[in-house]
Amino acid sequence: MPATLLLAQSTVVSGTVTDASNKQPLPFVTVSFTGTTIGIATDNDGKFSISSDKPVKQIKVSFLGYKDATFSIVPGAKQNINVRLFPSSNQLNEVVVKSGKKPKYRNKDNPAVELIRKVIENKEKNRPESYSYVEYKEYDKMQFSLSNVSPTLADKKFFRKYAFVINNRDSTTVPGKSLLPIFLNEKLSQYYYRKNPEKEKTTVLGDKTVNFGGSVDAEGLGAYFKHMYYKVDIYDNTIFLMTNNFLSPIANSAPTFYKFFITDTVMVNNTKLVELSFTPRNTADMLFVGKIYITLDGNYAVQKADLGINKNINLNFVRSMDVNQEFEQNPDGRWHLSKSTTLADFGITKNKKGGLFGIRTITYKNYAVNKPQPDTTYQNQQIAESDEVKHRSDQFWAQNRLDTLTTAESKVYKNVDSLRNMPSFRRTMDIATLLLAGYKNFNWFELGPANTFYSFNPVEGFKLRVGGRTTPELSKRYYFETYGAYGFKDEKFKYFLSATYSLNDKSIYKFPQSYIRASVQSDTHIPGANLQFVQEDNFLLSFKRGNNDKYLYDQNYRLDYVQEFENHFSYSIGLKNLKQTPAGSLYFLNTDANGLVHNISSLTSTELTVGLRYAPHEQFYQGKIYRTPIPSKYPVFSIDYDGGFKNIFGSQYNFQNLHGRIDKRVYLSYLGYADVTVEAGKIFGQVPYPLLNIFRANQTYAYDLYSYNLMNFLEFVSDHYESINIDQHFSGFFFNKIPLFKKLKWREVASFKAIYGGVSDNNNPALHPSLYQYPVTALGQPITYALGKTPYVEGSVGIENIFKFVRIDLVRRFTYLDHPDVSKFGIRTMVKFDF
């Protein structure tokens, strides 16, 4: 009885599909129930039989080159429907081959474009996120090699001792390439996804990386490589590779930028696939060239993808790049990614054979869908990896690798271990660290940075500085940094010393941070200069335009506590005591109630600082004693509070300073990307101008992304403001259309910066003479101003990627041009490494 009832409820539709014009049966036609993912293809005789236990009401019949047909059906019954399909308007009756002019490519009435639009239309249902639950194992292998190294190199006297490394070659993985592996990272993970409520979790089961020793941070190197070789999702509109966004061939706007051609039909495991070839309309745009294979089972899913780049593309140091993706079929007939391989060949020039070659291979196994797990499975995402995970046995890897190592790869770990223990290799790496990072390593201590050893300015004159920092070889829990400096003109010693203690038994630079730091600094700084706390003596920043002799001597004591959480929320609490003494031509003057003018020797403030920061999905280039955030599409939010308390450690003022900031990189597909920063600040209380917000100015000839490059130091102060900063990179979108610029591979850049604000009556020294007067020149001309009703605005247009590293901007100042010693235009430059 129950079996009979179940049969009666099942809907079964059978029939034959024929061509309405010639009555011939049509094989491989897609027949599906509307509103479901249930579909089949007709056999060689055009016959089909499709069934479902769901309350379906219609079937849809579709085939490339024919008009779709939809039929109503009776739910819960067996029925026979014979279908006649009518050719669409672009059906070809005959093909005539003519010599002469090539026909113009069009999207209209193009079967290839119709097919890619079907793929785009069905993208969402073919993504893993369309399932309620997904889980799989992931094996991620990142390998970097020297390519085409001379076979006689190991015979030369200097390299003879390294022969065991040099002769470990792989000439089979990439045809025509002899690869010498020098870096290898393997990671095995278990992934879980739940759609409602949405949650995902990745548990790292094993992580193994070569170890070069203290000179090279293999973990940070691996993070950088994987950022270059980002995971490729063919169903995304953009694919991020080599720090650039490429438009996917199945992006929503793909038919506008690609040409598509149906080049073949193939059978794979009894599944008929259409081979769809594509090429960029403009070969210099950030687009792929290659083939994708599309299923004709009603899902219009990608079953295989081969993506390459055009040789004319505006991409630095990359000779060639290929992405190969393979997909497997789920039990429900849909497809999931089973293997993704990204290969890139790097070189200084396009023609020479030698260089670097990187391969990232990601393999997926044990794929399961709609298999719910207990709620605890999706909770407590672990960001940090345990020592156990990082030190799995060779037996573990032999049993759990989802892919195999080549013979050459299998020797990398042992070879690098041997290399690390060779004195000659350590000396070579020591020299490289000094040249590239500016630090000389002495095991537990590093001397540097070298670019701060010498600098000069109008107040201190010739200035020498020597400093350094401890390394994890001394301790991972505590860390010291220091420098000493002397100015030969002011004849004063300066110094800095900090001591940091990690509270979570990790390096203070490892995510998530948890540390306490105490520091003291006695040095100079320029009011309104956006300079690093301990590196403002950079020699290159000594060269400045205009008059810049207004300095402050700072005596700064700080105590800071920082706590990060695995959800990328963090907070910091600090206490500082700052004594500021004017130097050079700067002065602090005020007027008392009797009208007497006083010269104030110094200003002291004691402040409590609280910072809140949220950076969802943030990743870092992680080193042993540094970390750098990797820009992404996710915004970063920060709120800072700074409260001054009078009569505590000599503090002279009560005030509260509130500041908020949002940073976001906006990816604009083929138009490149824009870095956008929005800020606002407000001071509550009455304070003299050194405690107001002094706008970030820049009088150097270097282009500063976050400062106003044509604003003078100390030119503007405020107790309330709002600002926006947009830095737009077009990635060669316009220059690629101009032959000369296309050949030079220059790229366009533009920026816009505006700040609006002012000083309230409460902080106006003209209304309150007891506050410090704004500085003036020797002739009585004002130097410092409050913004009026007009915002300060500047913008720039420029060219980047000059000689692959240089950016030059023509900067234009639009407002407050009547101020003394200001420039309407300026040329600024910066050095930036990018692909």
Side-chain angles (χ1 to χ4, degrees):
M1 176 74 177
T4 309
L5 192 59
L6 282 171
L7 258 169
Q9 292 175 339
S10 181
T11 304
V12 180
V13 182
S14 304
T16 304
V17 181
T18 57
D19 186 317
S21 60
N22 58 25
K23 299 180 182 179
Q24 292 296 312
L26 292 174
F28 308 115
V29 175
T30 300
V31 183
S32 60
F33 288 116
T34 348
T36 74
T37 59
I38 302 169
I40 61 162
T42 58
D43 62 17
N44 289 330
D45 299 319
K47 295 185 182 299
F48 70 91
S49 181
I50 184 171
S51 62
S52 173
D53 293 331
K54 296 180 179 179
V56 289
K57 296 181 179 179
Q58 284 184 328
I59 62 167
K60 182 179 179 181
V61 184
S62 56
F63 192 49
L64 197 65
Y66 290 82
K67 295 178 180 178
D68 291 350
T70 305
F71 299 90
S72 298
I73 56 175
V74 181
K78 285 187 176 181
Q79 52 219 284
N80 190 276
I81 298 178
N82 292 320
V83 180
R84 292 188 302 157
L85 288 184
F86 290 86
S88 57
S89 58
N90 60 311
Q91 177 74 13
L92 298 176
N93 292 321
E94 59 178 331
V95 178
V96 180
V97 180
K98 295 181 179 179
S99 60
K101 190 175 180 181
K102 186 179 178 181
K104 185 177 180 181
Y105 178 89
R106 295 179 182 273
N107 281 353
K108 188 177 180 181
D109 297 332
N110 186 333
V113 175
E114 288 181 17
L115 179 58
I116 201 65
R117 284 178 173 151
K118 286 284 187 184
V119 176
I120 294 168
E121 182 184 321
N122 287 272
K123 276 199 306 183
E124 292 308 312
K125 80 173 184 182
N126 287 313
R127 302 181 73 112
E129 293 82 6
S130 66
Y131 289 107
S132 297
Y133 301 91
V134 176
E135 61 181 80
Y136 53 78
K137 270 192 177 179
E138 175 186 299
Y139 171 70
D140 189 347
K141 181 176 69 173
M142 182 74 234
Q143 183 248 95
F144 238 77
S145 301
L146 299 176
S147 65
N148 295 329
V149 175
S150 170
T152 62
L153 184 66
D155 299 330
K156 297 182 178 179
K157 184 177 179 181
F158 179 80
F159 294 102
R160 224 169 273 161
K161 65 184 78 172
Y162 304 119
F164 67 98
V165 175
I166 296 171
N167 292 329
N168 182 38
R169 308 291 185 94
D170 175 5
S171 57
T172 59
T173 300
V174 181
K177 290 283 183 184
S178 174
L179 303 181
L180 193 164
I182 55 173
F183 176 88
L184 184 63
N185 169 253
E186 300 175 271
K187 182 178 283 189
L188 181 69
S189 308
Q190 177 68 47
Y191 175 82
Y192 297 97
Y193 171 80
R194 182 184 65 195
K195 190 172 187 177
N196 191 20
E198 191 169 41
K199 196 78 174 175
E200 61 180 350
K201 179 181 176 181
T202 300
T203 302
V204 179
L205 306 176
D207 192 351
K208 188 175 184 179
T209 308
V210 294
N211 181 9
F212 290 100
S215 298
V216 178
D217 180 56
E219 189 176 338
L221 202 59
Y224 183 73
F225 287 157
K226 288 185 178 181
H227 179 64
M228 291 162 48
Y229 289 73
Y230 214 72
K231 285 185 179 179
V232 174
D233 183 352
I234 191 73
Y235 288 106
D236 272 343
N237 283 327
T238 54
I239 295 173
F240 188 75
L241 286 170
M242 305 301 155
T243 70
N244 284 273
N245 268 321
F246 292 79
L247 190 73
S248 169
I250 58 173
N252 295 343
S253 58
T256 305
F257 295 94
Y258 285 100
K259 295 179 181 180
F260 293 94
F261 308 91
I262 295 175
T263 47
D264 202 358
T265 55
V266 294
M267 291 292 296
V268 177
N269 297 329
N270 296 321
T271 301
K272 186 176 184 182
L273 306 173
V274 173
E275 181 185 88
L276 194 62
S277 299
F278 52 89
T279 185
R281 291 174 183 259
N282 185 328
T283 57
D285 285 343
M286 287 290 179
L287 301 169
F288 293 107
V289 60
K291 298 175 182 179
I292 51 177
Y293 296 81
I294 308 302
T295 66
L296 294 179
D297 55 2
N299 291 316
Y300 294 98
V302 178
Q303 194 270 348
K304 185 181 178 184
D306 296 320
L307 314 178
I309 58 170
N310 190 284
K311 65 178 182 179
N312 297 319
I313 205 166
N314 192 341
L315 196 61
N316 292 332
F317 313 113
V318 180
R319 294 190 184 118
S320 66
M321 183 170 63
D322 295 282
V323 179
N324 308 117
Q325 295 200 310
E326 301 169 17
F327 294 76
E328 290 180 353
Q329 198 164 23
N330 295 331
D332 65 351
R334 285 151 67 184
W335 298 78
H336 70 264
L337 182 63
S338 60
K339 191 170 187 177
S340 180
T341 305
T342 305
L343 308 93
D345 185 10
F346 300 89
I348 300 298
T349 65
K350 295 283 185 182
N351 301 322
K352 290 187 178 180
K353 293 182 178 180
L356 292 170
F357 200 96
I359 307 173
R360 186 180 187 184
T361 305
I362 307 175
T363 307
Y364 303 89
K365 295 285 187 184
N366 302 343
Y367 207 96
V369 298
N370 294 335
K371 179 184 172 183
Q373 299 285 355
D375 288 347
T376 53
T377 303
Y378 306 98
Q379 297 170 357
N380 302 320
Q381 171 69 59
Q382 296 295 319
I383 302 298
E385 298 175 5
S386 66
D387 285 340
E388 182 185 5
V389 165
K390 293 181 179 179
H391 297 91
R392 296 292 191 190
S393 66
D394 291 342
Q395 183 182 3
F396 169 87
W397 287 105
Q399 293 173 349
N400 290 279
R401 278 189 186 100
L402 305 183
D403 198 357
T404 55
L405 297 181
T406 65
T407 303
E409 287 173 341
S410 66
K411 298 178 181 178
V412 171
Y413 295 118
K414 184 179 178 181
N415 284 351
V416 171
D417 286 344
S418 301
L419 198 64
R420 184 180 69 246
N421 295 320
M422 297 176 65
S424 59
F425 175 76
R426 291 201 298 267
R427 285 194 298 270
T428 302
M429 297 311 299
D430 201 24
I431 295 170
T433 302
L434 178 62
L435 294 175
L436 297 175
Y439 283 90
K440 174 69 175 73
N441 187 278
F442 295 96
N443 190 26
W444 61 269
F445 184 79
E446 288 186 336
L447 183 69
N451 61 1
T452 64
F453 288 165
Y454 165 72
S455 63
F456 58 88
N457 63 67
V459 173
E460 298 171 282
F462 169 48
K463 184 177 182 179
L464 291 180
R465 178 178 134 173
V466 178
R469 59 193 183 185
T470 61
T471 71
E473 275 68 27
L474 176 66
S475 173
K476 289 184 178 179
R477 295 295 296 266
Y478 52 87
Y479 171 85
F480 298 96
E481 186 170 9
T482 187
Y483 70 75
Y486 182 77
F488 284 83
K489 182 177 180 180
D490 65 355
E491 299 181 343
K492 291 180 182 291
F493 284 99
K494 290 88 180 176
Y495 57 86
F496 169 78
L497 176 65
S498 72
T500 308
Y501 182 76
S502 172
L503 300 174
N504 61 2
D505 200 25
K506 297 177 184 176
S507 165
I508 61 168
Y509 293 100
K510 298 291 183 182
F511 179 84
Q513 292 179 334
S514 179
Y515 66 80
I516 187 168
R517 170 181 288 159
S519 63
V520 58
Q521 183 181 36
S522 179
D523 210 336
T524 60
H525 93 270
I526 304 172
N530 182 32
L531 301 172
Q532 297 183 42
F533 188 52
V534 296
Q535 291 198 20
E536 49 189 63
D537 294 322
N538 189 316
F539 170 73
L540 296 177
L541 299 181
S542 298
F543 300 94
K544 298 181 177 70
R545 62 178 173 82
N547 187 11
N548 62 297
D549 62 347
K550 292 168 179 59
Y551 276 67
L552 289 169
Y553 286 114
D554 288 350
Q555 187 71 33
N556 195 359
Y557 300 90
R558 292 186 64 101
L559 184 65
D560 295 286
Y561 168 66
V562 174
Q563 178 64 58
E564 289 182 337
F565 298 92
E566 292 182 346
N567 63 358
H568 296 278
F569 172 77
S570 64
Y571 68 87
S572 61
I573 301 173
L575 183 66
K576 74 173 181 179
N577 180 264
L578 174 63
K579 181 180 179 181
Q580 301 180 76
T581 303
S585 65
L586 190 63
Y587 54 82
F588 295 163
L589 297 178
N590 73 348
T591 306
D592 64 17
N594 298 319
L596 297 176
V597 176
H598 296 273
N599 190 350
I600 311 298
S601 61
S602 63
L603 170 65
T604 301
S605 61
T606 300
E607 303 166 29
L608 172 69
T609 62
V610 178
L612 305 176
R613 186 174 184 272
Y614 180 53
H617 308 285
E618 186 173 43
Q619 293 181 310
F620 301 94
Y621 302 132
Q622 184 69 69
K624 291 183 184 295
I625 46 179
Y626 71 90
R627 71 174 195 180
T628 305
I630 298 172
S632 73
K633 64 181 179 181
Y634 300 102
V636 177
F637 305 92
S638 59
I639 297 175
D640 300 294
Y641 168 81
D642 193 350
F645 298 93
K646 192 174 181 180
N647 298 325
I648 297 179
F649 302 118
S651 180
Q652 297 166 261
Y653 291 91
N654 285 316
F655 63 91
Q656 288 81 41
N657 189 346
L658 194 62
H659 167 259
R661 173 169 170 159
I662 302 174
D663 293 274
K664 179 172 172 55
R665 173 162 288 186
V666 182
Y667 289 103
L668 303 169
S669 187
Y670 48 86
L671 287 176
Y673 64 89
D675 287 323
V676 181
T677 300
V678 178
E679 290 183 85
K682 172 72 175 174
I683 293 177
F684 303 89
Q686 190 176 69
V687 292
Y689 76 82
L691 295 179
L692 292 174
N693 295 309
I694 302 175
F695 295 163
R696 296 185 298 266
N698 177 28
Q699 286 185 218
T700 73
Y701 296 98
Y703 185 83
D704 191 321
L705 294 172
Y706 301 106
S707 296
Y708 300 94
N709 290 285
L710 290 180
M711 184 185 289
N712 291 332
F713 294 134
L714 205 57
E715 185 177 354
F716 289 102
V717 295
S718 74
D719 60 11
H720 63 279
Y721 71 93
E722 302 83 34
S723 70
I724 186 168
N725 181 349
I726 303 173
D727 195 49
Q728 171 68 49
H729 301 256
F730 290 102
S731 302
F733 179 76
F734 299 105
F735 283 177
N736 287 342
K737 280 78 173 174
I738 304 171
L740 176 60
F741 291 167
K742 178 179 176 180
K743 185 175 181 180
L744 293 170
K745 297 192 180 299
W746 288 356
R747 302 170 186 168
E748 327 81 343
V749 66
S751 75
F752 173 81
K753 300 177 183 180
I755 187 164
Y756 177 80
V759 174
S760 63
D761 290 346
N762 190 47
N763 287 309
N764 187 344
L767 301 177
H768 300 278
S770 61
L771 295 172
Y772 299 174
Q773 298 174 11
Y774 291 158
V776 297
T777 65
L779 299 176
Q781 283 184 307
I783 292 172
T784 301
Y785 303 82
L787 280 176
K789 294 181 179 179
T790 303
Y792 175 87
V793 179
E794 71 176 41
S796 72
V797 292
I799 300 172
E800 59 181 350
N801 207 43
I802 301 172
F803 307 120
K804 295 182 168 58
F805 294 103
V806 179
R807 167 177 170 172
I808 297 178
D809 282 72
L810 172 64
V811 188
R812 167 76 150 88
R813 175 167 168 161
F814 294 98
T815 55
Y816 297 97
L817 298 175
D818 56 336
H819 287 188
D821 300 320
V822 300
S823 301
K824 188 175 181 180
F825 291 95
I827 302 292
R828 300 291 177 267
T829 185
M830 69 181 296
V831 176
K832 177 189 175 188
F833 173 82
D834 205 350
F835 286 99

